[in-house]
Amino acid sequence: MPGRYHDDLSMDEIMRRWPETIRTILDHGLLCVGCPIAPFHTVDDAVREHGIVGHVDFRADLRAAIARSAGTNRRRDLPGSLSAL
Protein backbone atom coordinates (compact mmCIF):
# COMPACT_ATOMS: atom_id res chain seq x y z
CA MET A 1 0.00 0.00 0.00
CA PRO A 2 1.53 3.31 -1.03
CA GLY A 3 -0.03 5.19 1.87
CA ARG A 4 -2.45 8.07 1.87
CA TYR A 5 -2.23 11.33 0.05
CA HIS A 6 -1.72 14.41 2.18
CA ASP A 7 -1.06 18.01 1.28
CA ASP A 8 2.55 17.98 2.48
CA LEU A 9 3.71 15.28 0.05
CA SER A 10 6.27 16.40 -2.48
CA MET A 11 5.73 15.94 -6.20
CA ASP A 12 8.55 13.39 -6.11
CA GLU A 13 6.83 11.37 -3.39
CA ILE A 14 3.50 11.49 -5.25
CA MET A 15 5.12 10.12 -8.41
CA ARG A 16 6.92 7.41 -6.44
CA ARG A 17 3.82 6.29 -4.52
CA TRP A 18 1.45 6.52 -7.48
CA PRO A 19 3.40 6.09 -10.76
CA GLU A 20 0.17 6.54 -12.74
CA THR A 21 0.37 10.24 -11.83
CA ILE A 22 3.49 10.72 -13.97
CA ARG A 23 1.50 10.71 -17.23
CA THR A 24 -0.95 13.24 -15.77
CA ILE A 25 1.86 15.49 -14.58
CA LEU A 26 3.55 15.42 -17.99
CA ASP A 27 0.24 15.91 -19.84
CA HIS A 28 -0.28 19.15 -17.92
CA GLY A 29 3.12 20.49 -18.93
CA LEU A 30 4.94 19.98 -15.65
CA LEU A 31 8.44 18.59 -15.96
CA CYS A 32 8.67 17.22 -12.43
CA VAL A 33 10.03 13.84 -13.53
CA GLY A 34 13.73 13.96 -12.77
CA CYS A 35 13.60 17.58 -11.62
CA PRO A 36 15.97 18.28 -8.72
CA ILE A 37 13.30 20.47 -7.09
CA ALA A 38 10.53 17.79 -7.18
CA PRO A 39 11.46 16.44 -3.73
CA PHE A 40 10.76 19.89 -2.29
CA HIS A 41 7.69 21.05 -4.27
CA THR A 42 4.16 20.24 -3.18
CA VAL A 43 1.27 20.32 -5.68
CA ASP A 44 0.58 23.93 -4.71
CA ASP A 45 4.22 24.85 -5.28
CA ALA A 46 4.34 23.14 -8.67
CA VAL A 47 1.08 24.75 -9.84
CA ARG A 48 2.34 28.16 -8.78
CA GLU A 49 5.84 27.77 -10.24
CA HIS A 50 4.59 26.46 -13.58
CA GLY A 51 1.70 28.92 -13.82
CA ILE A 52 -0.83 26.16 -14.41
CA VAL A 53 -3.95 28.04 -15.49
CA GLY A 54 -6.12 24.92 -15.43
CA HIS A 55 -5.02 23.96 -11.93
CA VAL A 56 -8.53 22.73 -11.08
CA ASP A 57 -8.39 20.31 -14.03
CA PHE A 58 -4.86 19.28 -13.08
CA ARG A 59 -5.91 18.54 -9.52
CA ALA A 60 -8.93 16.53 -10.68
CA ASP A 61 -6.78 14.56 -13.12
CA LEU A 62 -4.21 13.94 -10.39
CA ARG A 63 -6.94 12.64 -8.04
CA ALA A 64 -8.20 10.33 -10.80
CA ALA A 65 -4.69 8.98 -11.43
CA ILE A 66 -4.21 8.28 -7.73
CA ALA A 67 -7.57 6.50 -7.61
CA ARG A 68 -6.61 4.40 -10.64
CA SER A 69 -3.31 3.58 -9.00
CA ALA A 70 -5.19 2.40 -5.94
CA GLY A 71 -7.20 0.11 -8.21
CA THR A 72 -10.47 1.97 -7.87
CA ASN A 73 -12.31 5.02 -9.15
CA ARG A 74 -14.82 5.02 -6.32
CA ARG A 75 -14.78 8.39 -4.56
CA ARG A 76 -15.43 6.85 -1.14
CA ASP A 77 -12.00 5.19 -1.34
CA LEU A 78 -10.16 8.51 -1.71
CA PRO A 79 -8.58 9.99 1.42
CA GLY A 80 -10.48 12.97 2.79
CA SER A 81 -7.75 15.54 2.24
CA LEU A 82 -7.49 14.49 -1.40
CA SER A 83 -10.76 16.26 -2.18
CA ALA A 84 -9.03 19.52 -1.28
CA LEU A 85 -6.36 18.96 -3.93
Coordinates of all heavy atoms in Angstrom, one line a residue:
M1 N 0.9 -1.2 0.0 CA 0.0 0.0 0.0 C 0.9 1.2 0.0 O 1.8 1.4 0.8 CB -0.9 0.0 1.2 CG -1.7 1.2 1.4 SD -3.3 0.9 0.5 CE -4.1 2.4 0.9
P2 N 0.7 2.1 -0.9 CA 1.5 3.3 -1.0 C 1.2 4.4 0.0 O 1.9 5.4 0.0 CB 1.3 3.8 -2.4 CG -0.1 3.3 -2.8 CD -0.3 2.0 -2.0
G3 N 0.3 4.2 0.9 CA 0.0 5.2 1.9 C -1.1 6.1 1.4 O -1.6 6.0 0.3
R4 N -1.4 7.1 2.2 CA -2.4 8.1 1.9 C -1.8 9.4 1.4 O -0.8 9.8 1.8 CB -3.3 8.4 3.1 CG -4.1 7.2 3.5 CD -5.1 7.6 4.6 NE -6.1 6.6 4.8 CZ -7.3 6.6 4.2 NH1 -7.6 7.6 3.4 NH2 -8.2 5.7 4.4
Y5 N -2.6 10.0 0.5 CA -2.2 11.3 0.0 C -2.4 12.3 1.2 O -3.4 12.2 1.9 CB -3.1 11.8 -1.1 CG -2.9 13.2 -1.5 CD1 -1.8 13.5 -2.4 CD2 -3.6 14.2 -0.9 CE1 -1.6 14.8 -2.7 CE2 -3.3 15.5 -1.3 CZ -2.3 15.8 -2.1 OH -2.1 17.1 -2.4
H6 N -1.5 13.3 1.3 CA -1.7 14.4 2.2 C -1.0 15.6 1.5 O -0.2 15.5 0.7 CB -1.3 14.2 3.6 CG 0.1 13.8 3.8 ND1 1.2 14.7 3.8 CD2 0.7 12.6 3.9 CE1 2.3 14.1 4.0 NE2 2.1 12.8 4.0
D7 N -1.5 16.8 1.9 CA -1.1 18.0 1.3 C 0.4 18.3 1.4 O 0.9 19.1 0.6 CB -1.8 19.2 1.8 CG -3.3 19.1 1.5 OD1 -3.7 18.5 0.5 OD2 -4.1 19.6 2.3
D8 N 1.1 17.7 2.3 CA 2.6 18.0 2.5 C 3.5 17.1 1.6 O 4.7 17.2 1.7 CB 2.9 17.8 3.9 CG 2.3 18.9 4.8 OD1 2.0 20.0 4.3 OD2 2.1 18.6 6.0
L9 N 2.9 16.2 0.9 CA 3.7 15.3 0.1 C 4.4 16.1 -1.1 O 3.7 17.0 -1.7 CB 2.9 14.2 -0.6 CG 2.4 13.1 0.3 CD1 1.5 12.1 -0.4 CD2 3.6 12.3 0.9
S10 N 5.6 15.7 -1.4 CA 6.3 16.4 -2.5 C 5.8 15.8 -3.8 O 5.3 14.6 -3.8 CB 7.8 16.2 -2.3 OG 8.1 14.9 -2.5
M11 N 6.1 16.5 -4.9 CA 5.7 15.9 -6.2 C 6.5 14.6 -6.4 O 6.0 13.7 -7.0 CB 6.1 17.0 -7.3 CG 5.2 18.2 -7.3 SD 3.4 17.8 -7.5 CE 3.4 17.3 -9.2
D12 N 7.7 14.6 -6.0 CA 8.5 13.4 -6.1 C 7.9 12.2 -5.4 O 7.8 11.1 -5.9 CB 10.0 13.7 -5.6 CG 10.9 12.5 -5.7 OD1 11.2 12.2 -6.9 OD2 11.3 11.9 -4.7
E13 N 7.5 12.4 -4.2 CA 6.8 11.4 -3.4 C 5.5 10.9 -4.0 O 5.2 9.7 -4.1 CB 6.6 11.8 -2.0 CG 6.1 10.7 -1.0 CD 7.1 9.6 -0.8 OE1 8.3 9.9 -1.0 OE2 6.7 8.5 -0.4
I14 N 4.8 11.8 -4.6 CA 3.5 11.5 -5.2 C 3.8 10.6 -6.4 O 3.1 9.5 -6.6 CB 2.7 12.8 -5.7 CG1 2.2 13.5 -4.5 CG2 1.6 12.4 -6.7 CD1 1.7 14.9 -4.8
M15 N 4.8 10.9 -7.2 CA 5.1 10.1 -8.4 C 5.7 8.8 -8.0 O 5.4 7.8 -8.7 CB 6.1 10.9 -9.3 CG 5.5 12.1 -10.0 SD 6.7 12.9 -11.1 CE 7.9 13.6 -9.9
R16 N 6.4 8.7 -6.9 CA 6.9 7.4 -6.4 C 5.8 6.5 -5.9 O 5.8 5.3 -6.1 CB 8.0 7.6 -5.4 CG 9.3 8.2 -5.9 CD 10.3 8.4 -4.7 NE 11.4 9.1 -5.2 CZ 12.4 8.6 -5.8 NH1 12.5 7.3 -6.0 NH2 13.5 9.3 -6.2
R17 N 4.9 7.1 -5.1 CA 3.8 6.3 -4.5 C 2.8 5.9 -5.5 O 2.2 4.8 -5.5 CB 3.1 7.1 -3.4 CG 4.0 7.2 -2.2 CD 3.2 7.9 -1.1 NE 4.0 8.1 0.1 CZ 3.5 8.5 1.2 NH1 2.2 8.7 1.4 NH2 4.4 8.7 2.2
W18 N 2.5 6.8 -6.5 CA 1.5 6.5 -7.5 C 2.0 6.8 -8.9 O 1.8 7.9 -9.4 CB 0.2 7.4 -7.2 CG -0.3 7.2 -5.8 CD1 -1.1 6.1 -5.4 CD2 -0.2 8.0 -4.7 NE1 -1.4 6.2 -4.1 CE2 -0.9 7.4 -3.6 CE3 0.4 9.2 -4.4 CZ2 -1.0 7.9 -2.4 CZ3 0.3 9.8 -3.2 CH2 -0.4 9.1 -2.1
P19 N 2.7 5.9 -9.5 CA 3.4 6.1 -10.8 C 2.4 6.5 -11.9 O 2.8 7.2 -12.8 CB 4.0 4.7 -11.1 CG 4.2 4.1 -9.8 CD 3.1 4.6 -8.9
E20 N 1.2 6.1 -11.7 CA 0.2 6.5 -12.7 C 0.0 8.1 -12.8 O -0.5 8.6 -13.8 CB -1.2 5.9 -12.4 CG -1.2 4.4 -12.7 CD -0.6 3.6 -11.6 OE1 -0.1 4.1 -10.6 OE2 -0.7 2.3 -11.7
T21 N 0.5 8.8 -11.8 CA 0.4 10.2 -11.8 C 1.4 10.9 -12.8 O 1.2 12.0 -13.2 CB 0.6 10.8 -10.4 OG1 1.9 10.5 -9.9 CG2 -0.5 10.4 -9.5
I22 N 2.4 10.2 -13.1 CA 3.5 10.7 -14.0 C 2.9 11.2 -15.3 O 3.2 12.3 -15.8 CB 4.6 9.7 -14.2 CG1 5.4 9.5 -12.8 CG2 5.6 10.2 -15.2 CD1 6.4 8.4 -12.8
R23 N 2.1 10.4 -15.9 CA 1.5 10.7 -17.2 C 0.7 12.0 -17.1 O 0.7 12.9 -17.9 CB 0.7 9.5 -17.8 CG -0.1 9.8 -19.0 CD 0.6 10.3 -20.3 NE 1.9 10.0 -20.4 CZ 2.8 10.8 -21.1 NH1 2.5 11.9 -21.7 NH2 4.1 10.4 -21.2
T24 N -0.1 12.1 -16.0 CA -1.0 13.2 -15.8 C -0.1 14.5 -15.6 O -0.4 15.5 -16.2 CB -1.8 13.0 -14.5 OG1 -2.7 11.9 -14.7 CG2 -2.6 14.2 -14.2
I25 N 1.0 14.4 -14.8 CA 1.9 15.5 -14.6 C 2.5 16.0 -15.9 O 2.5 17.2 -16.2 CB 2.9 15.1 -13.5 CG1 2.2 14.9 -12.2 CG2 4.0 16.1 -13.5 CD1 3.1 14.2 -11.1
L26 N 3.0 15.1 -16.7 CA 3.5 15.4 -18.0 C 2.5 16.0 -18.9 O 2.8 17.0 -19.7 CB 4.2 14.2 -18.6 CG 5.5 13.7 -17.9 CD1 5.9 12.4 -18.5 CD2 6.6 14.7 -17.9
D27 N 1.3 15.4 -19.0 CA 0.2 15.9 -19.8 C -0.1 17.4 -19.5 O -0.6 18.1 -20.4 CB -1.0 15.0 -19.7 CG -0.8 13.7 -20.5 OD1 0.2 13.5 -21.2 OD2 -1.7 12.8 -20.2
H28 N 0.1 17.8 -18.3 CA -0.3 19.1 -17.9 C 0.9 20.1 -18.0 O 0.9 21.2 -17.6 CB -0.9 19.2 -16.5 CG -2.3 18.7 -16.5 ND1 -3.3 19.6 -16.7 CD2 -2.8 17.5 -16.3 CE1 -4.5 18.9 -16.6 NE2 -4.2 17.7 -16.4
G29 N 2.0 19.6 -18.6 CA 3.1 20.5 -18.9 C 4.1 20.7 -17.8 O 5.0 21.5 -17.9
L30 N 4.0 19.9 -16.7 CA 4.9 20.0 -15.6 C 6.1 19.0 -15.9 O 5.8 17.9 -16.4 CB 4.3 19.6 -14.3 CG 3.4 20.7 -13.7 CD1 2.1 20.8 -14.4 CD2 3.3 20.5 -12.2
L31 N 7.3 19.4 -15.7 CA 8.4 18.6 -16.0 C 9.1 18.1 -14.7 O 10.3 18.1 -14.5 CB 9.4 19.4 -16.8 CG 8.9 19.9 -18.1 CD1 9.9 20.8 -18.8 CD2 8.5 18.7 -19.0
C32 N 8.2 17.6 -13.8 CA 8.7 17.2 -12.4 C 9.5 15.9 -12.4 O 10.3 15.7 -11.5 CB 7.5 17.0 -11.5 SG 6.5 18.5 -11.3
V33 N 9.3 15.1 -13.5 CA 10.0 13.8 -13.5 C 11.5 14.1 -13.7 O 11.9 14.8 -14.7 CB 9.5 13.0 -14.7 CG1 10.3 11.7 -14.8 CG2 8.0 12.7 -14.5
G34 N 12.3 13.7 -12.7 CA 13.7 14.0 -12.8 C 14.2 15.4 -12.4 O 15.4 15.6 -12.3
C35 N 13.3 16.2 -12.0 CA 13.6 17.6 -11.6 C 14.2 17.6 -10.2 O 13.7 16.9 -9.3 CB 12.4 18.5 -11.6 SG 12.6 20.1 -11.0
P36 N 15.3 18.3 -10.0 CA 16.0 18.3 -8.7 C 15.1 19.0 -7.6 O 15.4 18.8 -6.5 CB 17.3 19.0 -9.0 CG 17.1 19.8 -10.2 CD 16.1 19.0 -11.0
I37 N 14.1 19.8 -8.0 CA 13.3 20.5 -7.1 C 12.1 19.6 -6.7 O 11.4 19.9 -5.7 CB 12.8 21.8 -7.7 CG1 14.1 22.7 -8.1 CG2 12.0 22.6 -6.7 CD1 15.0 23.0 -6.9
A38 N 11.7 18.6 -7.4 CA 10.5 17.8 -7.2 C 10.4 17.2 -5.7 O 9.4 17.2 -5.2 CB 10.4 16.6 -8.2
P39 N 11.6 16.9 -5.1 CA 11.5 16.4 -3.7 C 11.0 17.5 -2.7 O 10.7 17.2 -1.6 CB 12.9 16.0 -3.4 CG 13.5 15.7 -4.7 CD 12.9 16.7 -5.7
F40 N 11.1 18.8 -3.2 CA 10.8 19.9 -2.3 C 9.4 20.6 -2.6 O 8.9 21.3 -1.8 CB 11.9 20.9 -2.3 CG 13.2 20.3 -2.1 CD1 14.1 20.0 -3.1 CD2 13.6 19.9 -0.8 CE1 15.3 19.5 -2.9 CE2 14.8 19.4 -0.5 CZ 15.7 19.1 -1.6
H41 N 8.9 20.4 -3.8 CA 7.7 21.1 -4.3 C 6.5 20.2 -4.0 O 6.4 19.0 -4.3 CB 7.7 21.3 -5.8 CG 8.3 22.6 -6.1 ND1 8.4 23.0 -7.4 CD2 8.8 23.6 -5.4 CE1 9.0 24.2 -7.5 NE2 9.2 24.6 -6.2
T42 N 5.5 20.9 -3.3 CA 4.2 20.2 -3.2 C 3.4 20.5 -4.5 O 3.8 21.2 -5.3 CB 3.4 20.8 -2.0 OG1 3.2 22.2 -2.2 CG2 4.2 20.7 -0.7
V43 N 2.1 20.0 -4.5 CA 1.3 20.3 -5.7 C 1.1 21.8 -5.8 O 1.2 22.4 -6.9 CB -0.1 19.6 -5.6 CG1 -1.0 20.0 -6.6 CG2 0.1 18.1 -5.7
D44 N 0.8 22.5 -4.7 CA 0.6 23.9 -4.7 C 1.8 24.7 -5.2 O 1.7 25.6 -6.0 CB 0.2 24.5 -3.3 CG -1.2 24.1 -2.9 OD1 -2.0 23.9 -3.8 OD2 -1.4 24.2 -1.7
D45 N 3.0 24.2 -4.8 CA 4.2 24.9 -5.3 C 4.4 24.7 -6.8 O 4.7 25.6 -7.5 CB 5.4 24.2 -4.6 CG 5.5 24.5 -3.1 OD1 4.9 25.6 -2.6 OD2 6.1 23.7 -2.4
A46 N 4.2 23.4 -7.3 CA 4.3 23.1 -8.7 C 3.4 23.9 -9.5 O 3.7 24.5 -10.6 CB 4.2 21.6 -8.9
V47 N 2.1 24.0 -9.1 CA 1.1 24.7 -9.8 C 1.5 26.2 -9.9 O 1.4 26.8 -11.0 CB -0.3 24.6 -9.2 CG1 -1.3 25.6 -9.6 CG2 -0.8 23.2 -9.4
R48 N 1.9 26.8 -8.8 CA 2.3 28.2 -8.8 C 3.6 28.4 -9.6 O 3.6 29.3 -10.5 CB 2.6 28.6 -7.3 CG 2.9 30.1 -7.2 CD 3.1 30.5 -5.7 NE 4.1 29.6 -5.0 CZ 3.7 28.7 -4.1 NH1 2.4 28.6 -3.7 NH2 4.6 28.0 -3.4
E49 N 4.6 27.6 -9.5 CA 5.8 27.8 -10.2 C 5.7 27.6 -11.8 O 6.3 28.3 -12.5 CB 6.9 26.8 -9.8 CG 7.4 27.1 -8.4 CD 8.2 28.4 -8.3 OE1 9.0 28.7 -9.2 OE2 8.0 29.1 -7.3
H50 N 4.8 26.7 -12.2 CA 4.6 26.5 -13.6 C 3.5 27.3 -14.2 O 3.2 27.2 -15.4 CB 4.3 25.0 -13.8 CG 5.6 24.1 -13.6 ND1 6.5 24.0 -14.6 CD2 6.0 23.4 -12.5 CE1 7.5 23.2 -14.1 NE2 7.2 22.8 -12.9
G51 N 2.8 28.1 -13.3 CA 1.7 28.9 -13.8 C 0.6 28.1 -14.5 O 0.1 28.5 -15.5
I52 N 0.2 27.0 -13.9 CA -0.8 26.2 -14.4 C -2.2 26.9 -14.3 O -2.7 27.0 -13.2 CB -0.9 24.8 -13.7 CG1 0.4 24.1 -13.7 CG2 -2.0 23.9 -14.2 CD1 0.9 23.7 -15.1
V53 N -2.7 27.3 -15.5 CA -3.9 28.0 -15.5 C -5.1 27.1 -15.2 O -6.0 27.4 -14.4 CB -4.2 28.7 -16.9 CG1 -5.5 29.3 -17.0 CG2 -3.0 29.7 -17.2
G54 N -5.1 25.9 -15.7 CA -6.1 24.9 -15.4 C -5.8 24.1 -14.2 O -6.0 22.9 -14.3
H55 N -5.4 24.7 -13.1 CA -5.0 24.0 -11.9 C -6.2 23.1 -11.4 O -5.9 22.1 -10.8 CB -4.4 24.9 -10.9 CG -5.3 25.8 -10.2 ND1 -6.1 25.5 -9.1 CD2 -5.7 27.1 -10.6 CE1 -6.8 26.6 -8.8 NE2 -6.6 27.5 -9.7
V56 N -7.4 23.5 -11.6 CA -8.5 22.7 -11.1 C -8.6 21.4 -11.9 O -8.8 20.3 -11.3 CB -9.9 23.5 -11.2 CG1 -11.0 22.6 -10.8 CG2 -9.8 24.7 -10.3
D57 N -8.4 21.5 -13.2 CA -8.4 20.3 -14.0 C -7.2 19.4 -13.7 O -7.3 18.2 -13.6 CB -8.3 20.7 -15.5 CG -9.6 21.4 -16.0 OD1 -10.7 21.2 -15.4 OD2 -9.5 22.1 -17.0
F58 N -6.1 20.0 -13.4 CA -4.9 19.3 -13.1 C -5.1 18.5 -11.8 O -4.8 17.3 -11.7 CB -3.6 20.2 -12.9 CG -2.5 19.5 -12.3 CD1 -1.8 18.5 -13.0 CD2 -2.0 19.9 -11.1 CE1 -0.7 17.9 -12.5 CE2 -0.9 19.3 -10.5 CZ -0.2 18.2 -11.2
R59 N -5.7 19.2 -10.8 CA -5.9 18.5 -9.5 C -6.9 17.4 -9.7 O -6.7 16.3 -9.1 CB -6.4 19.6 -8.5 CG -5.3 20.6 -8.1 CD -5.9 21.7 -7.4 NE -5.0 22.8 -7.3 CZ -4.1 23.0 -6.3 NH1 -4.0 22.1 -5.3 NH2 -3.3 24.0 -6.2
A60 N -7.9 17.6 -10.5 CA -8.9 16.5 -10.7 C -8.3 15.3 -11.4 O -8.5 14.2 -11.0 CB -10.1 17.1 -11.5
D61 N -7.5 15.6 -12.4 CA -6.8 14.6 -13.1 C -5.8 13.8 -12.2 O -5.6 12.6 -12.3 CB -6.1 15.1 -14.3 CG -7.0 15.6 -15.4 OD1 -8.2 15.3 -15.4 OD2 -6.5 16.3 -16.3
L62 N -5.1 14.6 -11.3 CA -4.2 13.9 -10.4 C -5.0 13.0 -9.4 O -4.5 11.9 -9.2 CB -3.4 15.0 -9.6 CG -2.2 14.6 -8.8 CD1 -1.2 14.0 -9.8 CD2 -1.6 15.8 -8.1
R63 N -6.1 13.5 -8.9 CA -6.9 12.6 -8.0 C -7.4 11.4 -8.8 O -7.3 10.3 -8.2 CB -8.2 13.4 -7.6 CG -7.9 14.4 -6.5 CD -9.2 14.9 -5.9 NE -10.2 15.4 -6.8 CZ -10.2 16.7 -7.2 NH1 -9.4 17.6 -6.7 NH2 -11.1 17.1 -8.1
A64 N -7.8 11.5 -10.0 CA -8.2 10.3 -10.8 C -7.0 9.3 -11.0 O -7.2 8.1 -10.9 CB -8.8 10.8 -12.1
A65 N -5.8 9.9 -11.3 CA -4.7 9.0 -11.4 C -4.4 8.2 -10.1 O -4.0 7.1 -10.2 CB -3.5 9.8 -11.9
I66 N -4.5 8.9 -9.0 CA -4.2 8.3 -7.7 C -5.3 7.2 -7.5 O -4.9 6.1 -7.0 CB -4.2 9.3 -6.6 CG1 -2.9 10.2 -6.7 CG2 -4.2 8.6 -5.2 CD1 -2.8 11.4 -5.8
A67 N -6.5 7.5 -7.8 CA -7.6 6.5 -7.6 C -7.3 5.3 -8.5 O -7.5 4.1 -8.1 CB -8.9 7.1 -7.9
R68 N -6.9 5.5 -9.7 CA -6.6 4.4 -10.6 C -5.5 3.6 -10.1 O -5.5 2.4 -10.1 CB -6.2 4.9 -12.0 CG -7.4 5.3 -12.9 CD -7.0 5.5 -14.3 NE -5.9 6.4 -14.5 CZ -6.0 7.8 -14.6 NH1 -7.2 8.3 -14.5 NH2 -5.0 8.5 -14.8
S69 N -4.5 4.3 -9.6 CA -3.3 3.6 -9.0 C -3.7 2.7 -7.8 O -3.2 1.6 -7.6 CB -2.3 4.6 -8.6 OG -1.1 4.0 -8.1
A70 N -4.7 3.2 -7.1 CA -5.2 2.4 -5.9 C -6.1 1.3 -6.4 O -6.5 0.5 -5.6 CB -5.9 3.3 -5.0
G71 N -6.4 1.2 -7.7 CA -7.2 0.1 -8.2 C -8.7 0.4 -8.1 O -9.5 -0.5 -8.3
T72 N -9.1 1.7 -8.0 CA -10.5 2.0 -7.9 C -10.7 3.4 -8.3 O -9.8 4.2 -8.2 CB -11.0 1.8 -6.4 OG1 -12.4 2.1 -6.4 CG2 -10.3 2.7 -5.4
N73 N -11.9 3.7 -8.8 CA -12.3 5.0 -9.2 C -13.5 5.5 -8.3 O -14.1 6.5 -8.5 CB -12.8 5.1 -10.6 CG -11.6 5.2 -11.5 OD1 -10.6 5.9 -11.2 ND2 -11.6 4.5 -12.6
R74 N -13.7 4.7 -7.2 CA -14.8 5.0 -6.3 C -14.4 6.1 -5.4 O -13.4 6.0 -4.6 CB -15.2 3.8 -5.5 CG -15.9 2.7 -6.4 CD -16.2 1.5 -5.7 NE -14.9 1.0 -5.1 CZ -14.9 -0.1 -4.3 NH1 -15.9 -0.7 -4.0 NH2 -13.7 -0.5 -3.9
R75 N -15.1 7.2 -5.4 CA -14.8 8.4 -4.6 C -14.7 8.1 -3.1 O -13.8 8.6 -2.4 CB -15.8 9.5 -4.8 CG -15.5 10.7 -4.0 CD -15.9 11.9 -4.8 NE -15.7 13.1 -4.0 CZ -14.5 13.8 -4.1 NH1 -13.5 13.4 -4.8 NH2 -14.4 14.9 -3.4
R76 N -15.5 7.2 -2.6 CA -15.4 6.9 -1.1 C -14.1 6.3 -0.7 O -13.8 6.2 0.5 CB -16.6 5.9 -0.7 CG -16.5 4.6 -1.3 CD -17.8 3.8 -1.0 NE -17.8 2.6 -1.7 CZ -17.4 1.4 -1.2 NH1 -17.0 1.3 0.0 NH2 -17.5 0.3 -1.9
D77 N -13.3 5.8 -1.7 CA -12.0 5.2 -1.3 C -10.9 6.2 -1.3 O -9.8 5.9 -1.0 CB -11.6 4.1 -2.4 CG -12.5 2.9 -2.2 OD1 -13.1 2.7 -1.1 OD2 -12.7 2.2 -3.2
L78 N -11.2 7.5 -1.7 CA -10.2 8.5 -1.7 C -10.0 9.1 -0.3 O -11.0 9.3 0.4 CB -10.5 9.6 -2.7 CG -10.5 9.3 -4.2 CD1 -11.0 10.4 -5.0 CD2 -9.1 8.9 -4.6
P79 N -8.8 9.4 0.1 CA -8.6 10.0 1.4 C -9.3 11.3 1.5 O -9.4 12.0 0.5 CB -7.1 10.2 1.5 CG -6.5 9.2 0.5 CD -7.5 9.1 -0.6
G80 N -9.7 11.7 2.6 CA -10.5 13.0 2.8 C -9.8 14.2 2.3 O -10.3 15.1 1.7
S81 N -8.5 14.3 2.6 CA -7.8 15.5 2.2 C -7.5 15.6 0.7 O -7.3 16.7 0.2 CB -6.4 15.6 3.0 OG -5.6 14.6 2.5
L82 N -7.7 14.5 0.0 CA -7.5 14.5 -1.4 C -8.5 15.3 -2.1 O -8.2 15.9 -3.1 CB -7.5 13.1 -1.9 CG -7.1 12.8 -3.3 CD1 -5.6 13.4 -3.5 CD2 -7.1 11.4 -3.7
S83 N -9.7 15.4 -1.5 CA -10.8 16.3 -2.2 C -10.4 17.7 -2.2 O -10.9 18.5 -3.0 CB -12.1 16.0 -1.5 OG -12.0 16.5 -0.1
A84 N -9.5 18.1 -1.3 CA -9.0 19.5 -1.3 C -7.9 19.8 -2.3 O -7.5 20.9 -2.4 CB -8.5 19.9 0.1
L85 N -7.4 18.8 -3.0 CA -6.4 19.0 -3.9 C -6.6 20.0 -4.9 O -7.5 20.3 -5.6 CB -6.2 17.6 -4.7 CG -4.8 17.0 -4.6 CD1 -4.8 15.8 -5.5 CD2 -3.6 17.8 -4.7

